[in-house]
């Protein structure tokens, strides 16, 4: 699989363009995910399996989230470029794993938010 970054909660076209431009030198494909797809599995959104999950009719996630798919060997290079493009520490980040591949974006965001709060002692 070619490396992809799934974008969640990026509602502003200029933010999507900034992340895409920052990732172009690294050969990472940037895939903005529509709200309606937040109920689908992360693996399906990454193009690793057919549609799986249920359509999401609710609101936004409550923040931004990036999911790295097939980019594990380049993350240390990608993070500074992402921060410069506006996807810094306030943007939750995850790597697609065998453990979370069947999760929906909603579940992954919830888990990352919980971990983020725990690390900050809240």
């Amino acid at each position: 699989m070619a490396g992809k970054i799934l974008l969640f909660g990026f509602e502003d076209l200029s933010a999507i363009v900034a992340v895409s431009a920052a990732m172009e030198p690294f050969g990472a494909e940037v895939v903005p995910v529509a709200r309606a797809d937040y109920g689908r599995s992360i693996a399906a959104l990454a193009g690793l399996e057919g549609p799986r999950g249920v359509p999401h009719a609710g609101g936004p996630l409550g923040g931004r989230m990036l999911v790295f798919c097939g980019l594990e060997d380049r993350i240390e290079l990608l993070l500074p470029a992402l921060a410069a493009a506006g996807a810094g520490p306030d943007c939750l980040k995850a790597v697609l794993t065998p453990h979370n591949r069947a999760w929906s974006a909603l579940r992954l965001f919830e888990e990352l938010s919980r971990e983020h709060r725990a690390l900050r002692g809240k």
Side-chain angles (χ1 to χ4, degrees):
M1 168 178 76
K4 294 182 183 182
I5 299 175
L6 304 178
L7 304 182
F8 300 89
F10 285 74
E11 306 285 335
D12 182 8
L13 181 59
S14 63
I16 295 168
V17 170
V19 170
S20 295
M23 293 299 96
E24 190 174 347
F26 301 98
E29 179 185 355
V30 174
V31 180
V33 178
R35 267 189 214 175
D37 291 328
Y38 288 178
R40 293 180 59 202
S41 75
I42 299 297
L45 295 171
L48 299 175
E49 60 185 39
R52 188 171 165 197
V54 296
H56 173 66
L61 288 175
R64 291 180 174 182
M65 177 174 70
L66 301 174
V67 179
F68 300 94
C69 309
L71 295 165
E72 296 78 7
D73 61 333
R74 293 178 263 175
I75 288 179
E76 293 301 319
L77 297 172
L78 300 176
L79 291 176
L82 287 165
D90 60 324
C91 181
L92 299 176
K93 297 165 189 76
V95 173
L96 176 70
T97 67
H99 182 72
N100 67 19
R101 66 180 284 125
W103 292 6
S104 70
L106 300 167
R107 180 172 177 198
L108 181 57
F109 185 84
E110 181 181 308
E111 179 65 19
L112 290 175
S113 294
R114 186 187 62 75
E115 289 175 5
H116 191 72
R117 284 189 305 273
L119 288 173
R120 290 187 171 199
K122 295 180 182 177

